Amino acid sequence: MKPIKSLLLAGLLAIAAGAGAAPLKTDAAHSSVAAVFKQMNVPVEAPFRSFTAQIDYDAAKPAASKASVEINTASFDIGDAMYNKEVAKKEWFNSAQFPKASFVSTAIAPAGAGKLNVSGKLTLKGKSANVTFPLTVKAEGGKQVFEGQLPIKRLAFNIGEGEWKDTSMVADEVVIKFRITAAP
């Protein structure tokens, strides 16, 4: 009798383990992460060309979902090779010492039809902060599309040191804007 109970319990545990969020495969060609900021009061939107996203999402149980994003900081593209090298230096991203920025969710909660509130830990240039932001999720062409914006203060992460702390040159307010497209 014991072996049957053990098999039944193992089967139920396997089913329960598989009932949560399902990993999605990111469609890199239709996904993007960018920083939006003002330089000398002129709006700038610059993409990160290299990043990965891991999303385990269950539309029926969003609270069981998880997400993480890792960004190659040296892939920040302002549109000029000389400026791209400059922002990889110590005063900005310090890409040699901190090649990756990351976000790891700690909670995902429903916030209405097609809307979620996401909380987690954002790490930039070796500094971490707990953040919360809204995002939208919608089905598009058989894929899930997650879009959102996360406002941060660059100086809280020491992005722009020395003379670059002057917020009249580059504003302290930065919005990390993202669109992640993924499918099972």
Side-chain angles (χ1 to χ4, degrees), residues 44-133:
V44 176
E45 182 171 334
F48 289 92
R49 300 287 183 198
S50 177
F51 62 91
T52 58
Q54 308 266 319
I55 300 171
D56 292 349
Y57 179 67
D58 183 348
K61 298 177 189 171
S65 301
K66 305 184 274 189
S68 64
V69 177
E70 193 170 80
I71 299 169
N72 177 347
T73 59
S75 74
F76 191 56
D77 186 0
I78 298 181
D80 180 277
M82 184 179 73
Y83 292 141
N84 292 349
K85 283 183 181 180
E86 187 65 33
V87 296
K89 289 182 179 177
K90 185 180 183 224
E91 294 79 16
W92 291 100
F93 285 116
N94 195 358
S95 297
Q97 186 174 352
F98 304 104
K100 305 284 184 194
S102 65
F103 171 79
V104 178
S105 68
T106 54
I108 298 176
K115 296 180 182 193
L116 301 169
N117 282 327
V118 179
S119 297
K121 183 181 278 189
L122 176 67
T123 303
L124 290 163
K125 204 173 176 182
K127 296 203 174 280
S128 295
N130 293 322
V131 297
T132 299
F133 57 93

